[in-house]
């Protein structure tokens, strides 16, 4: 060990008595300071501007330092340019000067030479890390409540990466006497290790081998704040492999042995590296430490609870991937490791998850595929796609073959994951939104479904022309209930959804809630008795009416001590029709879910296109809880409902609405430019507002309840009922309204969550980040720039120059 330390000390002296080591330190300090201050400057500008931009200022530690756009990954991408300039002379200098013969003739072992020189590089790398540690300390002071755990774990990741680069450079320096060649060879090897993970990813065995050897992104977990034994072992075995290569190279130069023996040593080291890497990367052999403040890289507590309930029984995930589906890109064999990375948080807690991938072709959900490929049959279209993707069509199951295994037509032949656990099965879907893949919420709901024989069931009454759960029209409820491609549909959040025709069928006994949405015809005596019996037995209920249908809905509401007021509510607004009501959430509504509480803080409204006010009787059988209330200043209930012509004359260009969900557009044609008969008063009209408040006509000023919750205890449990004076707030059109900041979907989902006592949707939200603001002024930032890019590099330059001049004089 003493010999190793002496060699390391000698090598360090040579390093620091050369200008290149000081030059790299100064350049690295300047680059780090430039990146840090420029990033802070952009964030500080946003903070000083204030307004809505402040809402998005969160996770500042991650945004400043973390992947993919923070300081650390940008520095990491440039580090491979620094180290070869230092490592190129470690052994090349000895070989070129002939001093290697003196080392061979001395009582020094080859491994001591290699370890000593590598130790010197470890110390130099530590000097680089000290610079980054100084930047990290500045970050702790400059960012309020900075995530210190993430910052210091990131330093470990950068240090391991630097040492890996050094080991590779040391080996390459052993291969040649020319330092420039050693530097260029190091760059080539580093580039090869960076890009090898993108090669041959369509071949199973080669894909796993190449992915293990790839150094690209290997430090990302550490840069984010997650320590895993797999990543630590990877860096250690790669370092060990190249150090072993260097030792065997020097030994081979001194020995006279057959090339087979020499090559066998390298093969054995390489095989041992792969074996250790493979074993250490198994989920059951991997340990994790999440050092972030809010455990951002770990499943939330509720998701962990679901995984824990699954016990030791294995879970099988079979991905069915359609060649003709637009999501085939995400399921290509080349994306296999990316897919496994998405499951890594779950494998951390349940390592016995097995994965299978089945490829097939069948008619896709996008029928335009045939429209734009006229005359082609399904096999011909598949052949064209296979040729374009450069895959063998014979490896894809035909429609007949896949249907013998599973019929995916109800899933629209989309990319879908088929989960099997303990004899139960369910689908986990991909969605038509920006994130595409299911989040913790949807995944946890699917896993929960595998373990439960009964899920919360919402039943929608039909038969009196109520809103449909199967239609995409503006007024219907498909997106809310069972649109499989829409992430937030109830079926993807853990609910079962079905219909009941009250005249012919009984209301199921095991349901979570019954929904009666905008019946247009009066219930017959049979249906009415069924509803009354269901309410009397303590069943949960959502009744949503519409203005003009009070005579149909109020008989159902009478026993509940609530009624829809005559007429309809109107709201004075410069931008929208008077019948577009925008009630605010109440504190009771905000308490239902965490997301609704955030909406309440942001003063979001519930958009209701045509609503009747609600009147609650005192001393009724239920406790009434207002959930959404209209504004007092600009809304009232107009007892005499205005006709449509009056509304058209009073409105001022309501913008068309369009669905922003699932990639499917649903537009209302009464907006400007739609070709409808949209009318507006002439500019010369002295009195464009024909909808005036008139107390003599029975008008009632707000605030008025638009949605009310009712509760009582019956049969030993709490009965929950929601009454709304509008059904449109649940509709496809209002859920996708983009011209008002609404919380319709959060509110709708919260109602069903209330019925399910908060069990679904599963709450996987995290506490808000605390690192939301910078604690630095413009003058402070200016001083940082001077210090990091002027004073400190200048001091290093002066110190290094003095040292080099004194050395030269000696």
């Amino acid at each position: 060990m003493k010999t190793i330390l002496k060699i390391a000390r000698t090598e360090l002296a040579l390093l620091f008595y050369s200008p290149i080591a000081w030059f790299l330190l100064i350049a690295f300090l300047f680059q780090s300071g430039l990146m840090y201050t420029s990033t802070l400057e952009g964030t500080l500008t946003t903070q000083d501007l204030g307004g809505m931009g402040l809402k998005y200022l969160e996770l500042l530690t991650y945004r400043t330092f973390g992947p993919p756009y923070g300081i650390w990954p940008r520095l990491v991408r440039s580090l491979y340019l620094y180290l070869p300039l230092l490592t190129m002379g470690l052994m090349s200098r000895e070989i070129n000067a002939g001093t290697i013969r003196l080392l061979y003739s001395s009582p020094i072992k080859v491994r001591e030479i290699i370890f000593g020189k590598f130790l010197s590089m470890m110390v130099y790398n530590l000097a680089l890390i000290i610079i980054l540690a100084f930047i990290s300390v500045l970050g702790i002071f400059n960012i309020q409540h900075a995530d210190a755990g993430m910052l210091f774990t990131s330093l470990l990741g950068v240090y391991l990466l630097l040492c890996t680069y050094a080991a590779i450079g040391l080996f390459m320096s052993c291969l040649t006497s020319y330092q420039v060649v050693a530097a260029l060879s190091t760059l080539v090897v580093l580039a090869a290790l960076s890009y090898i993970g993108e090669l041959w990813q369509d071949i199973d065995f080669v894909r796993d081998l190449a992915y293990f050897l790839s150094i690209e992104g290997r430090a990302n977990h550490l840069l984010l704040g997650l320590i895993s034994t797999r990543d630590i072992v990877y860096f250690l075995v790669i370092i060990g492999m190249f150090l072993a290569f260097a030792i065997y190279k020097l030994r081979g130069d001194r020995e006279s042995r057959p090339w087979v023996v020499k090559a066998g040593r390298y093969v054995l080291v390489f095989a041992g590296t792969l074996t250790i890497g493979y074993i250490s990367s198994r989920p059951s052999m991997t340990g994790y430490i999440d050092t972030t403040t809010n455990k951002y890289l770990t499943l939330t507590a509720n998701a962990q609870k679901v995984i824990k309930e699954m016990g030791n029984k294995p879970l099988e995930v079979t991905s069915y991937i359609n060649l003709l589906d637009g999501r085939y890109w995400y399921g290509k064999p080349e994306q296999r490791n990316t897919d496994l990375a998405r499951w890594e948080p779950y494998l951390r807690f349940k390592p016995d998850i097995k994965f299978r991938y089945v490829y097939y072709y069948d008619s896709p959900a996008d029928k335009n595929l045939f429209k734009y490929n006229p005359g082609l049959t399904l096999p011909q279209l598949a052949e064209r796609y296979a040729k374009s993707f450069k895959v063998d069509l014979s490896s894809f199951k035909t429609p007949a073959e896949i249907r013998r295994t599973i019929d995916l037509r109800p899933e629209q032949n989309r990319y879908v994951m088929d989960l099997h656990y303990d004899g139960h099965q369910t689908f986990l879907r991909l969605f038509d939104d920006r994130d595409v893949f299911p989040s913790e919420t949807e995944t946890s709901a699917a896993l929960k479904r595998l373990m439960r024989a009964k899920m919360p069931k919402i039943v929608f009454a039909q038969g009196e022309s109520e809103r449909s759960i199967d239609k995409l029209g503006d007024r219907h409820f498909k997106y809310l209930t069972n649109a499989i491609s829409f992430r937030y549909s109830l079926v993807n959040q853990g609910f079962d959804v079905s219909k009941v025709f009250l005249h012919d069928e009984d209301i199921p006994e095991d349901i979570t809630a019954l929904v009666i949405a905008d019946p247009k015809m009066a219930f017959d005596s049979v249906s009415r008795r069924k509803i009354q019996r269901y309410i009397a037995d303590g069943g949960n209920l959502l009744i949503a009416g519409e203005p003009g249908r009070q005579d149909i809905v109020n008989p159902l509401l009478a026993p509940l001590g609530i009624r829809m007021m005559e007429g309809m509510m109107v709201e004075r607004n410069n931008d929208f029709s008077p019948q577009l009501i925008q009630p605010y959430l109440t504190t009771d509504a905000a308490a239902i879910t965490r997301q609704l509480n955030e909406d309440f803080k942001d003063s979001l409204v519930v958009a209701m296109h045509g609503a009747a006010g609600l009147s609650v009787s005192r001393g009724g059988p239920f406790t009434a809880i207002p959930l959404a209330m209209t504004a007092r200043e600009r809304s009232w209930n107009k007892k005499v409902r205005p006709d449509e012509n009056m509304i058209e004359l009073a409105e001022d260009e309501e913008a068309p609405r369009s669905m922003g969900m699932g990639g499917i557009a649903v537009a209302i044609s009464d907006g400007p430019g739609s070709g409808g008969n949209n009318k507006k008063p002439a500019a010369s009209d002295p009195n464009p507002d024909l909808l005036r408040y008139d107390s003599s006509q029975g008008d009632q000023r707000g605030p008025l309840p638009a949605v009310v919750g009712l509760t009582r205890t019956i049969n030993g449990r709490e009965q929950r009922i929601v009454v709304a004076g509008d059904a449109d707030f649940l509709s496809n059109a209002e859920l996708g309204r983009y011209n008002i900041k609404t919380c319709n979907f959060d509110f709708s989902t919260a109602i069903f969550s209330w019925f399910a006592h908060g069990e679904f949707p599963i709450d996987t939200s995290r506490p808000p980040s605390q690192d939301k603001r910078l604690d630095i002024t413009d003058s402070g930032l200016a001083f940082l720039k001077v210090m990091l890019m002027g004073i400190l590099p200048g001091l290093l330059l002066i110190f290094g120059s003095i040292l080099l001049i004194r050395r030269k004089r000696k």
Side-chain angles (χ1 to χ4, degrees):
M1 188 63 186
K2 290 182 179 180
T3 303
I4 294 174
L5 293 175
K6 286 182 180 179
I7 294 174
R9 186 166 56 248
T10 301
E11 193 64 37
L12 278 173
L14 291 174
L15 272 176
F16 283 102
Y17 285 141
S18 68
I20 188 68
W22 291 102
F23 172 76
L24 291 181
L25 277 177
I26 293 169
F28 187 70
L29 174 58
F30 183 87
Q31 182 184 13
S32 302
L34 176 62
M35 288 184 179
Y36 178 66
T37 54
S38 62
T39 303
L40 281 191
E41 188 171 22
T43 305
L44 186 60
T45 300
T46 303
Q47 180 173 303
D48 290 342
L49 287 173
M52 285 297 296
L54 295 177
K55 181 180 179 181
Y56 303 102
L57 275 184
E58 55 183 4
L59 298 172
L60 288 186
T61 310
Y62 161 74
R63 292 174 60 179
T64 304
F65 294 94
Y69 305 116
I71 298 170
W72 296 156
R74 285 188 287 162
L75 284 172
V76 163
R77 285 192 289 269
S78 63
L79 282 176
Y80 76 93
L81 298 173
Y82 287 81
L83 269 296
L85 297 177
L86 295 171
T87 60
M88 64 183 183
L90 289 176
M91 291 306 302
S92 299
R93 182 177 57 248
E94 309 284 358
I95 297 172
N96 186 51
T99 53
I100 188 66
R101 295 185 181 90
L102 295 176
L103 290 173
Y104 285 161
S105 62
S106 65
I108 300 176
K109 297 177 181 179
V110 171
R111 66 170 179 270
E112 291 176 334
I113 298 173
I114 296 299
F115 289 158
K117 289 183 176 291
F118 180 70
L119 181 59
S120 70
M121 287 305 306
M122 291 180 65
V123 175
Y124 186 85
N125 290 341
L126 196 59
L128 297 176
I129 293 300
I130 290 174
I131 293 175
L132 298 185
F134 180 68
I135 299 292
S136 298
V137 172
L138 289 177
I140 292 175
F141 284 101
N142 297 150
I143 301 173
Q144 294 181 8
H145 308 289
D147 196 334
M150 172 195 165
L151 288 175
F152 291 116
T153 301
S154 300
L155 297 180
L156 173 62
V158 176
Y159 185 67
L160 289 173
L161 192 63
L162 284 170
C163 291
T164 304
Y165 289 168
I168 295 171
L170 176 57
F171 170 63
M172 301 311 295
S173 182
C174 293
L175 299 179
T176 177
S177 61
Y178 299 101
Q179 296 187 27
V180 174
V181 173
L184 292 176
S185 300
T186 303
L187 290 174
V188 170
V189 172
L190 292 177
L193 289 177
S194 296
Y195 290 104
I196 193 173
E198 300 178 10
L199 303 177
W200 309 298
Q201 293 298 292
D202 55 337
I203 305 172
D204 289 343
F205 172 74
V206 179
R207 176 178 56 244
D208 295 336
L209 176 62
Y211 185 75
F212 168 74
L213 292 176
S214 174
I215 203 170
E216 178 67 22
R218 186 65 69 167
N220 277 356
H221 278 166
L222 289 164
L223 297 183
L224 287 168
L226 180 66
I227 301 174
S228 72
T229 56
R230 181 181 62 188
D231 293 332
I232 300 296
V233 170
Y234 168 81
F235 285 115
L236 294 180
V237 296
I238 294 297
I239 290 171
M241 181 180 74
F242 280 99
L243 292 181
F245 285 172
I247 292 171
Y248 286 133
K249 173 62 175 67
L250 295 185
R251 283 183 180 178
D253 291 341
R254 300 177 61 185
E255 298 173 342
S256 178
R257 293 197 178 190
W259 69 269
V260 176
V261 175
K262 295 180 179 180
R265 292 171 175 173
Y266 293 99
V267 173
L268 285 175
V269 171
F270 185 68
T273 299
L274 293 181
T275 302
I276 296 173
Y278 176 81
I279 294 173
S280 65
S281 65
R282 296 303 87 194
S284 58
M285 301 294 293
T286 306
Y288 297 87
I289 300 176
D290 188 348
T291 63
T292 59
T293 302
N294 283 340
K295 308 302 177 187
Y296 294 112
L297 305 176
T298 305
L299 294 178
T300 57
N302 285 337
Q304 290 184 45
K305 182 180 178 182
V306 173
I307 294 288
K308 186 176 181 179
E309 290 173 358
M310 300 185 78
N312 297 321
K313 296 178 181 178
L315 169 67
E316 183 177 292
V317 180
T318 303
S319 296
Y320 289 99
I321 303 162
N322 185 359
L323 174 64
L324 302 180
D325 178 31
R327 285 149 287 274
Y328 172 73
W329 289 95
Y330 301 108
K332 293 193 304 180
E334 295 91 326
Q335 297 294 320
R336 192 75 54 82
N337 288 315
T338 303
D339 185 58
L340 294 176
R342 278 189 287 268
W343 282 94
E344 185 177 355
Y346 303 90
L347 288 166
R348 176 178 169 184
F349 297 96
K350 188 171 180 56
D352 57 352
I353 303 178
K354 308 300 180 185
F355 298 93
R356 292 177 59 241
Y357 297 86
V358 177
Y359 294 89
Y360 72 102
Y361 69 89
D362 204 344
S363 298
D366 182 10
K367 301 306 179 186
N368 287 326
L369 203 59
F370 292 99
K371 176 182 177 181
Y372 296 120
N373 293 275
L376 292 184
T377 63
L378 186 63
Q380 290 172 335
L381 193 57
E383 184 68 39
R384 171 180 288 185
Y385 267 59
K387 183 178 180 180
S388 299
F389 285 117
K390 297 177 177 58
V391 294
D392 184 3
L393 188 60
S394 63
S395 61
F396 290 77
K397 293 181 180 293
T398 66
E401 290 172 338
I402 192 65
R403 289 171 193 171
R404 283 196 291 267
T405 304
I406 185 172
D407 187 0
L408 294 172
R409 284 173 292 186
E411 292 294 317
Q412 302 174 9
N413 290 325
R414 296 162 57 90
Y415 179 169
V416 69
M417 289 169 275
D418 186 21
L419 310 186
H420 285 262
Y421 169 82
D422 194 24
H424 297 88
Q425 178 271 341
T426 192
F427 288 117
L428 183 60
R429 304 177 177 97
L430 275 64
F431 305 108
D432 293 339
D433 56 25
R434 183 183 61 183
D435 294 329
V436 180
F437 283 89
S439 68
E440 280 185 44
T441 300
E442 294 80 53
T443 303
S444 299
L447 296 179
K448 194 82 171 179
R449 187 182 290 274
L450 290 172
M451 295 182 286
R452 291 183 51 162
K454 177 186 174 184
M455 299 295 285
K457 188 173 185 179
I458 309 298
V459 175
F460 288 76
Q462 300 287 282
E464 287 73 32
S465 297
E466 293 92 345
R467 305 292 176 94
S468 171
I469 63 173
D470 299 319
K471 296 181 180 180
L472 289 170
D474 290 354
R475 304 177 69 251
H476 298 293
F477 294 173
K478 185 172 181 64
Y479 282 108
L480 173 68
T481 56
N482 63 4
I484 62 173
S485 62
F486 184 46
R487 180 183 304 273
Y488 303 106
S489 281
L490 293 178
V491 293
N492 292 321
Q493 297 293 316
F495 292 87
D496 287 332
V497 178
S498 64
K499 299 177 288 188
V500 60
F501 291 86
L502 294 174
H503 181 76
D504 303 316
E505 302 170 338
D506 290 330
I507 301 174
E509 296 181 357
D510 60 344
I511 67 175
T512 300
L514 173 69
V515 179
I516 301 175
D518 188 20
K520 299 177 182 61
M521 297 184 294
F523 292 93
D524 58 30
S525 58
V526 174
S527 301
R528 190 163 52 251
R529 280 197 300 270
K530 291 177 181 178
I531 297 172
Q532 291 170 346
R533 184 166 60 248
Y534 174 79
I535 295 174
D537 291 341
N540 296 334
L541 177 68
L542 168 59
I543 299 181
E546 281 286 327
R549 301 190 180 101
Q550 286 89 338
D551 57 334
I552 298 175
V553 176
N554 279 339
L556 300 178
L557 299 178
L560 309 180
I562 190 172
R563 67 179 180 85
M564 292 175 60
M565 301 169 65
E566 296 181 44
M568 66 178 291
M569 290 193 289
V570 294
E571 182 172 308
R572 183 177 287 110
N573 191 297
N574 294 330
D575 298 313
F576 300 103
S577 164
Q579 61 183 339
L580 181 64
I581 309 302
Q582 302 176 45
Y584 290 91
L585 298 174
T586 66
T587 54
D588 291 307
I592 298 178
T593 64
R594 185 176 296 182
Q595 182 57 52
L596 212 56
N597 186 51
E598 293 299 316
D599 295 340
F600 173 77
K601 292 178 181 178
D602 291 337
S603 300
L604 300 188
V605 299
V606 181
M608 293 183 165
H609 199 268
L614 301 175
S615 176
V616 181
S617 302
R618 294 185 178 181
F622 290 84
T623 300
I625 308 170
L627 301 178
M629 298 288 292
T630 62
R632 178 181 181 86
E633 298 80 10
R634 62 177 185 271
S635 66
W636 65 93
N637 190 77
K638 196 161 191 66
K639 186 173 183 180
V640 179
R641 186 184 178 211
D643 59 34
E644 295 301 322
N645 289 331
M646 250 182 112
I647 294 175
E648 281 192 17
L649 288 171
E651 67 184 13
D652 178 23
E653 286 194 0
E654 180 180 0
R657 291 163 280 164
S658 70
M659 291 298 300
M661 311 177 240
I664 301 176
V666 180
I668 287 183
S669 61
D670 57 358
S674 64
N677 295 321
N678 205 38
K679 300 178 182 178
K680 58 184 289 185
S684 59
D685 190 344
N687 186 20
D689 185 4
L690 302 178
L691 296 178
R692 293 189 178 277
Y693 174 74
D694 189 350
S695 59
S696 64
Q697 294 293 323
D699 294 355
Q700 186 171 338
R701 180 76 69 181
L704 297 171
V707 184
V708 173
L710 304 173
T711 63
R712 69 173 176 179
T713 301
I714 184 171
N715 297 330
R717 66 185 185 91
E718 186 179 64
Q719 181 181 20
R720 296 180 173 183
I721 295 175
V722 173
V723 180
D726 171 61
D728 289 325
F729 80 98
L730 301 164
S731 68
N732 297 328
E734 290 303 336
L735 293 184
R737 180 182 283 274
Y738 67 88
N739 49 13
I740 304 176
K741 291 184 177 180
T742 70
C743 60
N744 282 52
F745 201 90
D746 294 335
F747 185 58
S748 304
T749 306
I751 289 174
F752 294 105
S753 176
W754 190 54
F755 288 145
H757 295 274
E759 186 175 8
F760 292 95
I762 295 175
D763 183 10
T764 59
S765 59
R766 301 177 186 273
S769 69
Q770 297 300 310
D771 49 345
K772 298 181 180 180
R773 298 289 183 271
L774 294 180
D775 195 8
I776 188 172
T777 61
D778 290 329
S779 58
L781 181 61
F783 174 74
L784 273 184
K785 288 182 178 182
V786 173
M787 179 178 68
L788 293 175
M789 292 183 287
I791 297 176
L792 293 181
L795 290 175
L796 269 181
L797 178 62
I798 293 171
F799 182 77
S801 299
I802 293 173
L803 189 67
L804 292 174
I805 292 172
R806 292 182 62 184
R807 171 67 176 175
K808 187 176 181 179
R809 287 177 178 176
K810 289 183 179 180

